[in-house]
Amino acid sequence: MNSTRVTVVDLGSAKTVCLVAEMSERGKVRVVGSGVEPSKGLRRGAVVDLDEATRSVREALKQAHDGGSGEGEHAFVGVGSPLVHGATARGYVPLYPKSRQITREDVLQVIKHSRQVSLPPDEEQIQAMPQTFSVDGQNGIQKPIGMSGGRLEVTTFLVTGQTSHIQNIERAVTQCGLKVEQMVLQSLASGLGVLSPEALDHGCAVIDLGAGTTDIAVFDKGALTASVSLPVGSQLVTSDLSKLLKTSPDEAERLKTEFGSVQLEGIPETETVPVLQLGQAHTRPLARRVLCEIIQSRVREIATMVRQQIEKSGTLGVLPGGVVLTGGGSLLPGIDRLFEETLNQGPVRIGRPKDAGFDFAGSDEPGMASAAGLVRFALQNFDDEFSPVGGTDDWKDRIRTFWSLLSGRA
């Protein structure tokens, strides 16, 4: 697919976002349609009700197409949840005769070799992204085609997912008349949705605080080097508020949104908020400080889990680009300060699509980061798309990089 107009679908636990975008004559990304629909068929990024998930996609699609169906269009689809994993793998091929020029076919073959890894019977590969190449031991090469050498090596970031999870996401999309062009790791999309090319290149961690999951992506030298999805998100805060304050989930969400904060400084001891408990006809006052203490405790738990994952990646303390929080959960006041204290990684900032150069109705909302990143991935990396391995037309065999995002050629 090589088009200047794309459709993207981001299925989240709280909302489903559909964007229709195109590349202008001046090479700028322009969002021409958007739709946002509450998600009722997903939990922690996984489909739990196929009919509801399909309905959410269909309604968001209609909004994005101004009442049209978008039937027959190819879609880039975000995929996440703890059922999706990312890891690096290595591959190599000898070159004959030695010192000849490296061809596109050589690159395809070495990437194909890196994909020959053993997987559990219920998992499959859904995305392969070359990180860096090596020619005769010379490391750090991004584009080896045309160079000379006798041995070509590659480090590839492979994304795998539980087969049933991938199939359910695909069904929710195809039942709306769309065709899957590519599934894209949501943590990668979130990073592309808020980071500048400089941040991608210098080394940065992006933490997408969604409703049901927290997705972590680490970028270095223009490549995705680590990714993990935690099975907790901002709904954990809402759930705990509901249980501890004996309220409905909707009331707990209202309290969190209207009065919640992660920082306690500046909240008077005497300030109260109205709480409607279950079975009661009237609200009762609750110290706002108590509400915020509950929120702070739960968010700190999530931040601690994030720190542990970044430590496992070996990049804690060595991310010159710092840490970026995004996603709907990042809107809690003071959350950047809490993550900064917990991670001890340096400045933590809130990331929005406008930071990556987007300019559309939702570009100031962190919750649109993943959808915006899907657009960027779809429109700005065709120069680096390799043909399907083995001559098949299965989207799982396509290999895409995003080096063009760093080179300024997009």
Side-chain angles (χ1 to χ4, degrees):
M1 177 182 173
N2 191 1
S3 170
T4 57
R5 186 182 178 100
V6 298
T7 296
V8 305
V9 180
D10 178 33
L11 291 92
S13 299
K15 66 181 183 296
T16 296
V17 179
C18 177
L19 298 179
V20 179
E22 61 186 20
M23 192 77 78
S24 71
E25 294 180 357
R26 296 183 178 181
K28 298 294 184 181
V29 172
R30 184 174 60 159
V31 175
V32 296
S34 64
V36 181
E37 183 70 15
S39 293
K40 295 183 180 179
L42 288 97
R43 182 177 300 125
R44 293 178 179 173
V47 174
V48 294
D49 187 324
L50 182 59
D51 290 340
E52 284 290 343
T54 302
R55 186 198 63 77
S56 296
V57 175
R58 184 176 290 112
E59 291 303 315
L61 196 60
K62 285 182 180 178
Q63 295 172 35
H65 285 84
D66 197 22
S69 67
E71 187 170 346
E73 292 188 355
H74 291 251
F76 288 76
V77 183
V79 59
S81 99
L83 301 175
V84 177
H85 313 283
T88 56
R90 293 187 63 83
Y92 72 92
V93 292
L95 303 173
Y96 300 107
K98 289 186 176 181
S99 299
R100 67 170 173 81
Q101 285 192 349
I102 296 170
T103 67
R104 193 176 188 83
E105 183 61 29
D106 294 325
V107 172
L108 284 171
Q109 287 302 317
V110 75
I111 295 173
K112 184 177 181 179
H113 185 258
S114 71
R115 299 184 72 173
Q116 305 305 308
V117 297
S118 297
L119 294 175
D122 61 342
E123 289 193 11
E124 60 183 319
Q125 288 186 29
I126 58 175
Q127 200 174 10
M129 292 171 286
Q131 293 178 327
T132 183
F133 293 88
S134 173
V135 178
D136 291 347
Q138 180 183 348
N139 300 319
I141 297 172
Q142 285 189 334
K143 298 183 179 181
I145 296 175
M147 299 181 66
S148 299
R151 178 184 173 96
L152 177 64
E153 299 175 73
V154 68
T155 301
T156 305
F157 193 84
L158 301 179
V159 181
T160 63
Q162 189 180 86
T163 300
S164 59
H165 171 58
I166 301 305
Q167 290 175 342
N168 287 331
I169 294 289
E170 189 167 11
R171 286 194 187 102
V173 173
T174 57
Q175 287 181 175
C176 298
L178 296 173
K179 298 177 181 179
V180 174
E181 173 69 16
Q182 179 76 62
M183 286 195 183
V184 181
L185 185 65
Q186 280 181 329
S187 59
L188 165 64
S190 297
L192 296 180
V194 298
L195 295 182
S196 66
E198 292 76 21
L200 285 168
D201 195 30
H202 293 163
C204 185
V206 176
I207 303 162
D208 188 333
L209 294 163
T213 61
T214 296
D215 295 326
I216 307 164
V218 179
F219 298 87
D220 187 34
K221 295 181 177 63
L224 179 65
T225 60
S227 173
V228 67
S229 181
L230 301 175
V232 292
S234 61
Q235 283 180 347
L236 173 67
V237 179
T238 303
S239 176
D240 280 3
L241 286 174
S242 177
K243 293 175 183 177
L244 293 173
L245 302 181
K246 297 181 175 57
T247 71
S248 68
D250 287 344
E251 175 71 356
E253 182 68 21
R254 182 189 71 83
L255 291 168
K256 181 184 74 174
T257 303
E258 292 185 14
F259 305 106
S261 176
V262 177
Q263 294 295 328
L264 305 181
E265 294 84 349
I267 300 178
E269 297 281 356
T270 56
E271 183 178 356
T272 63
V273 297
V275 178
L276 181 62
Q277 294 183 311
L278 293 171
Q280 300 298 315
H282 304 286
T283 61
R284 54 163 294 214
L286 171 75
R288 186 184 173 215
R289 194 175 183 87
V290 171
L291 172 74
C292 295
E293 284 174 349
I294 298 172
I295 294 173
Q296 183 191 70
S297 177
R298 295 302 171 263
V299 173
R300 193 180 299 279
E301 289 178 10
I302 296 174
T304 300
M305 295 172 69
V306 169
R307 178 188 170 93
Q308 292 170 348
Q309 293 300 325
I310 296 179
E311 284 179 336
K312 286 183 181 180
S313 75
T315 57
L316 188 68
V318 289
L319 294 170
V323 175
V324 177
L325 293 180
T326 193
S330 67
L331 291 172
L332 276 169
I335 196 169
D336 50 344
R337 287 180 55 193
L338 185 144
F339 267 82
E340 193 170 302
E341 295 165 2
T342 305
L343 299 181
N344 194 26
Q345 169 65 54
V348 174
R349 63 187 187 278
I350 307 300
R352 297 171 171 82
K354 68 176 185 179
D355 301 332
F358 286 92
D359 183 16
F360 62 96
S363 60
D364 196 38
E365 301 176 21
M368 298 293 282
S370 182
L374 289 172
V375 167
R376 192 178 182 193
F377 183 91
L379 283 176
Q380 292 189 314
N381 71 348
F382 288 120
D383 286 345
D384 296 318
E385 178 181 358
F386 293 97
S387 302
V389 177
T392 70
D393 195 33
D394 191 335
W395 60 264
K396 301 183 187 72
D397 290 329
R398 296 192 181 102
I399 301 165
R400 297 175 188 267
T401 70
F402 45 96
W403 293 321
S404 58
L405 300 177
L406 307 175
S407 65
R409 293 183 291 104

